[in-house]
Amino acid sequence: MNELGLEQYEKTGYLTEPFRVFHIRDRRELEFDFHYHDFYKIIYFLEGKVNYQIEGKTYSLKPHDFVLVGANVIHRVQIDKAAFYERYIIYLSEEFLSQKSASGESLMRCFEEAQRRQNRVLHFTPETYETLVGCLLKMRRIEKQRDSCYQDLLLKAAFLEFMVLFNIDVASQPKAFIETAVYHEKVVDVIAYIQEHLTEKVNIDVLAEKFYISKYYLMRQFKQATGYSVHQYLNEKRIQMARQMILSGVPASRACYECGFSDYSTFARRFKEIVGAAPSKLM
């Protein structure tokens, strides 16, 4: 299954299983707009000329880079069709990643670290990625064993091994996070501020004053870096935050106000536009 480029600002793709792994090598014209998923994604890049734009930063990928894209993280890929594009793509559900070790460490740790650093691309030592790739190859071999009655368990065991090793490597190699992304510093600072203050009064005037920047310049640069206006970005992030609260049992009316909305009817309308269902339907 390949990802499809759909309308801008739209949630794309779906995942009905705990995880999926794809190995794709192609050379064709693909156009992707900025989008997000409600699942998590890891890309292992092998070959091609590819730029990944994630939350205001642009990463020019090199062979053996790993890209971490969290749920509801806004991104798009830019592909030079003149070269073959080879990659492994791993889709992961939040439920799968929420599994914890006896000491309380979850498989979500690598994504949490990427979010904390506002850095989504890693390049490990050769020995590390050889081990991780060995796990990926093992999964592909297991998938081809159609006659094995234990295939599902073998695949889950191999995938757990990969994710555990990946999290260990992220924790033990902090310098693996690359520092070569291209970005507008003010825009990235604004994105970080928005994500940390979603429940507060935030608008373009507040941001322009706080970061000592013309609001019109900020609006233009923000749109260029993320594909969203500041207002659209705020709404997307607040609605996704409200969605998680409602799914965890918080009443929709309370989630509305705790996520920065001052009017429930406006909240309900935007929620349905973004999520595809009314807030009350998730409860």
Side-chain angles (χ1 to χ4, degrees):
M1 179 179 71
N2 290 344
E3 294 178 283
L4 301 176
L6 301 178
E7 296 257 3
Q8 205 167 21
Y9 320 130
E10 188 172 335
K11 182 182 74 173
T12 69
Y14 60 91
L15 180 66
T16 58
E17 300 150 287
F19 60 86
R20 290 294 304 277
V21 182
F22 312 92
H23 178 215
I24 303 172
R25 187 175 189 268
D26 54 19
R27 184 172 65 186
R28 57 196 180 95
E29 189 168 2
L30 294 172
E31 293 292 334
F32 294 95
D33 288 321
F34 285 101
H35 61 284
Y36 61 92
H37 315 290
D38 59 6
F39 52 85
Y40 294 74
K41 181 167 67 172
I42 297 176
I43 299 97
Y44 173 54
F45 176 69
L46 287 165
E47 179 185 5
K49 294 182 179 179
V50 175
N51 287 332
Y52 241 92
Q53 291 182 269
I54 310 173
E55 295 284 7
K57 291 187 175 183
T58 300
Y59 304 87
S60 182
L61 299 187
K62 294 180 171 53
H64 306 301
D65 280 347
F66 283 89
V67 184
L68 290 169
V69 182
N72 304 317
V73 166
I74 295 161
H75 64 285
R76 74 170 175 177
V77 61
Q78 296 176 307
I79 305 163
D80 185 341
K81 64 177 182 178
F84 277 102
Y85 177 26
E86 184 177 7
R87 67 280 192 199
Y88 279 87
I89 303 175
I90 302 167
Y91 288 170
L92 309 109
S93 69
E94 183 171 356
E95 181 181 10
F96 184 88
L97 288 172
S98 297
Q99 297 179 83
K100 294 184 178 181
S101 67
S103 62
E105 292 292 343
S106 84
L107 298 176
M108 192 79 75
R109 182 175 178 178
C110 55
F111 289 97
E112 293 170 344
E113 184 66 11
Q115 175 67 23
R116 185 184 72 80
R117 290 173 173 268
Q118 293 294 299
N119 193 328
R120 320 284 177 166
V121 177
L122 302 103
H123 194 94
F124 296 113
T125 64
E127 296 81 6
T128 297
Y129 71 70
E130 285 174 7
T131 301
L132 293 173
V133 172
C135 292
L136 292 173
L137 293 174
K138 183 192 296 185
M139 283 185 265
R140 300 301 290 169
R141 287 196 300 271
I142 293 170
E143 283 186 329
K144 295 177 181 178
Q145 297 172 6
R146 301 296 182 186
D147 57 340
S148 173
C149 59
Y150 292 105
Q151 183 190 39
D152 57 335
L153 293 177
L154 285 170
L155 191 58
K156 182 177 180 179
F159 197 79
L160 274 172
E161 180 184 10
F162 171 82
M163 286 305 304
V164 168
L165 291 174
F166 191 88
N167 275 279
I168 290 172
D169 293 333
V170 169
S172 64
Q173 297 183 47
K175 292 183 179 180
F177 284 94
I178 69 166
E179 302 293 341
T180 56
V182 176
Y183 58 95
H184 191 294
E185 187 172 355
K186 289 281 189 182
V187 170
V188 171
D189 289 344
V190 166
I191 288 172
Y193 182 85
I194 288 173
Q195 292 174 346
E196 293 172 6
H197 298 83
L198 285 175
T199 62
E200 302 171 19
K201 181 181 178 181
V202 179
N203 56 44
I204 189 65
D205 293 311
V206 169
L207 294 169
E209 181 178 354
K210 179 171 182 60
F211 291 96
Y212 305 102
I213 187 173
S214 159
K215 68 178 183 180
Y216 301 106
Y217 180 74
L218 174 57
M219 289 163 63
R220 186 168 62 253
Q221 294 299 318
F222 194 95
K223 177 82 172 182
Q224 182 178 326
T226 68
Y228 283 65
S229 70
V230 171
H231 181 68
Q232 287 171 322
Y233 186 87
L234 269 166
N235 275 336
E236 291 280 354
K237 294 299 183 179
R238 283 172 168 165
I239 291 297
Q240 294 305 333
M241 180 181 180
R243 176 178 176 273
Q244 291 301 115
M245 291 176 67
I246 294 169
L247 288 173
S248 68
V250 175
S253 56
R254 178 180 156 195
C256 162
Y257 298 110
E258 290 194 5
C259 291
F261 289 89
S262 57
D263 175 73
Y264 185 82
S265 61
T266 300
F267 164 75
R269 185 170 61 253
R270 291 296 297 139
F271 192 98
K272 188 171 183 179
E273 289 172 357
I274 292 172
V275 178
S280 58
K281 298 296 184 182
L282 296 188
M283 300 174 67

